[in-house]
Amino acid sequence: MSHLDISVVICVYTEDRWEDILAAVDSVRRQSRPAAETLLVVDHNPALLERLSEEVRANTTPGEEVRVLANAGPRGLSAGRNTGVAAARGEIVAFLDDDAVAERDWLRHFAEGYEDPRVMAVGGRTVPAWASGRRPRWFPEEFDWIVGCTYRGLPPGRVRVRNVLGGNASFRRSAFAVVGGFATGIGRDGDKRPLGCEETELCIRLTRALPDAVLLIDDRSVIHHKVPAVRERFGYFRTRAYAEGLSKALVARSVGMGKGLESERRYTTRVLPAGVARGLRDAALGRPGGAGRAGAIVAGVAAAAGGYVLGSLRARRSGATFSVPGTAPGPGPAATAGRPRARGEAP
């Protein structure tokens, strides 16, 4: 097994998740393969920063390293993650959502992936923990990414992928030295519109800069992600799907439509039609929720497509920009400044 040290970064932003944050930290403490350190990055919330600092001082045991840091960049998840990466001492940096708990062997399975020196990122499987105690009957598994979880359509086992999912992922720290950090201006910002895709954009930049790099998902690296009641509602489902379309438009602007939508094409042409057919079949057999799942898939696709079209138009009209640490701010092509050009990539 790899003997590389692993730093765990947990980005936090609100005291409303206090118990969830403590549970996340405790799950890192209980790992079968101990983390070298846990970094709690607080997103522009002085009260939470002070409270967590006091909690860590009072409850950190000898030999355990837990640090509390203030987000050193603009508000938002991307800058929080970049702050954690900059402060991390481990050769591997793992990310855990602040409302999730990791199973005991989470880091052990991550570490196994890095025995191959070509591997630059390893992600895991994220299981929803529904506030109601069970999945809403109308909620299709194909759209579990809506609530930050692994969705139907991803291949099982340890497999090579285009990108890992950010709430349950790890990277070699050296990867960030090559491509910079997560792009700000794409991902989430507290409770504002639930944008995403910052990890997708980073992973595509990474494999362009390092064409031989391998990115994996190992479904044995499991975390359980809390899904609050508000996210079990169709209104959130539709809003999040729309926001995903907006985010995908920014990713396509950054890395090009080919790479930016490569995985999505298979998902929309194979996985989702199969999901609709399955839902309609269940409805015909009188099984609860079948028609609702089929309808939700169609509505989700429509919302995401609408967001993508509008996001693309806005980006072209406004010259939408974002920045990557270590690179010049700018639209997609300029955001690749400061990294090696991949073989065959146009200047």
Side-chain angles (χ1 to χ4, degrees), residues 6-21:
I6 302 178
S7 299
V8 176
V9 175
I10 303 174
C11 295
V12 304
Y13 71 97
T14 176
E15 289 183 88
D16 292 343
R17 291 185 176 180
W18 179 255
E19 295 300 328
D20 295 334
I21 294 167

Side-chain angles (χ1 to χ4, degrees), residues 190-266:
D191 288 322
K192 293 183 179 180
R193 176 170 286 161
L195 300 172
C197 296
E198 64 274 18
E199 64 274 1
T200 301
E201 195 272 345
L202 173 70
C203 288
I204 294 172
R205 271 193 286 120
L206 176 58
T207 51
R208 280 187 168 182
L210 300 173
D212 296 328
V214 173
L215 281 61
L216 300 174
I217 284 183
D218 188 334
D219 65 7
R220 299 172 301 168
S221 291
V222 179
I223 70 169
H224 297 264
H225 186 257
K226 188 174 181 180
V227 181
V230 68
R231 297 188 183 182
E232 296 185 11
R233 299 171 186 167
F234 182 72
Y236 180 83
F237 178 94
R238 184 178 54 202
T239 299
R240 177 67 183 87
Y242 175 75
E244 184 76 1
L246 293 175
S247 299
K248 281 292 191 294
L250 286 174
V251 171
R253 180 170 172 79
S254 170
V255 299
M257 187 175 295
K259 276 292 183 183
L261 299 178
E262 182 179 56
S263 295
E264 288 72 15
R265 289 192 182 94
R266 176 188 174 276

Side-chain angles (χ1 to χ4, degrees), residues 9 15-17 26 69 79 138 149 154 166 261 275 299 317 337:
V9 175
E15 289 183 88
D16 292 343
R17 291 185 176 180
D26 189 57
L69 311 169
W138 62 268
C149 296
L154 287 176
L261 299 178
R317 289 173 181 172

Side-chain angles (χ1 to χ4, degrees), residues 108-116 119 122 158 172 216 218:
R108 181 171 72 84
H109 292 306
F110 273 172
E112 290 172 357
Y114 291 102
E115 292 175 1
D116 182 343
V119 172
V122 183
R158 184 197 285 176
R172 288 192 192 271
L216 300 174
D218 188 334

Side-chain angles (χ1 to χ4, degrees), residues 8 50 54 77 141 150 161 191 193 221 224 266 268 305 308:
V8 176
E50 181 178 356
E54 292 175 357
L77 182 57
E141 292 182 33
T150 303
V161 292
D191 288 322
R193 176 170 286 161
S221 291
H224 297 264
R266 176 188 174 276
T268 55
Y308 181 83

Side-chain angles (χ1 to χ4, degrees), residues 9 18 25 44 125 135 147 217 238 249 254 273 309 311:
V9 175
W18 179 255
V25 173
H44 297 271
R125 176 161 59 96
R135 171 187 300 276
V147 291
I217 284 183
R238 184 178 54 202
S254 170
V309 170

Side-chain angles (χ1 to χ4, degrees), residues 23-333:
V25 173
D26 189 57
S27 74
V28 176
R29 286 192 175 111
R30 296 174 182 272
Q31 290 297 299
S32 60
R33 188 196 194 282
E37 60 181 351
T38 302
L39 307 178
L40 295 165
V41 183
V42 182
D43 192 16
H44 297 271
N45 186 332
L48 178 57
L49 180 70
E50 181 178 356
R51 187 179 180 188
L52 272 177
S53 298
E54 292 175 357
E55 172 71 21
V56 167
R57 282 194 295 268
N59 294 298
T60 300
T61 59
E64 177 188 28
E65 184 165 0
V66 181
R67 289 188 279 156
V68 180
L69 311 169
N71 180 359
R75 187 182 299 275
L77 182 57
S78 291
R81 287 173 174 167
N82 292 336
T83 297
V85 170
R89 297 167 184 161
E91 293 95 335
I92 306 300
V93 182
F95 298 97
L96 178 65
D97 276 346
D98 64 344
D99 54 355
V101 293
E103 291 192 0
R104 179 172 170 77
D105 292 329
W106 177 59
L107 291 180
R108 181 171 72 84
H109 292 306
F110 273 172
E112 290 172 357
Y114 291 102
E115 292 175 1
D116 182 343
R118 299 174 302 159
V119 172
M120 300 301 289
V122 183
R125 176 161 59 96
T126 303
V127 178
W130 303 96
S132 62
R134 67 177 185 177
R135 171 187 300 276
R137 287 178 174 175
W138 62 268
F139 202 116
E141 292 182 33
E142 291 83 358
F143 273 78
D144 276 5
W145 55 263
I146 290 279
V147 291
C149 296
T150 303
Y151 55 91
R152 183 194 289 265
L154 287 176
R158 184 197 285 176
V159 293
R160 191 166 181 172
V161 292
R162 180 195 66 179
N163 63 274
V164 296
L165 306 179
N168 178 13
S170 63
F171 294 83
R172 288 192 192 271
R173 188 156 53 90
S174 59
F176 297 101
V178 175
V179 297
F182 293 93
T184 58
I186 293 181
R188 287 178 181 259
D189 177 358
D191 288 322
K192 293 183 179 180
R193 176 170 286 161
L195 300 172
C197 296
E198 64 274 18
E199 64 274 1
T200 301
E201 195 272 345
L202 173 70
C203 288
I204 294 172
R205 271 193 286 120
L206 176 58
T207 51
R208 280 187 168 182
L210 300 173
D212 296 328
V214 173
L215 281 61
L216 300 174
I217 284 183
D218 188 334
D219 65 7
R220 299 172 301 168
S221 291
V222 179
I223 70 169
H224 297 264
H225 186 257
K226 188 174 181 180
V227 181
V230 68
R231 297 188 183 182
E232 296 185 11
R233 299 171 186 167
F234 182 72
Y236 180 83
F237 178 94
R238 184 178 54 202
T239 299
R240 177 67 183 87
Y242 175 75
E244 184 76 1
L246 293 175
S247 299
K248 281 292 191 294
L250 286 174
V251 171
R253 180 170 172 79
S254 170
V255 299
M257 187 175 295
K259 276 292 183 183
L261 299 178
E262 182 179 56
S263 295
E264 288 72 15
R265 289 192 182 94
R266 176 188 174 276
Y267 174 72
T268 55
T269 58
R270 298 184 185 180
V271 175
L272 295 184
V276 172
R278 193 162 37 247
L280 293 176
R281 181 192 63 207
D282 287 348
L285 293 173
R287 295 170 182 167
R293 291 193 300 275
I297 291 173
V298 173
V301 171
Y308 181 83
V309 170
L310 184 59
S312 298
L313 290 173
R314 286 178 177 173
R316 283 199 293 267
R317 289 173 181 172
S318 65
T321 63
F322 53 88
S323 62
V324 176
T327 70

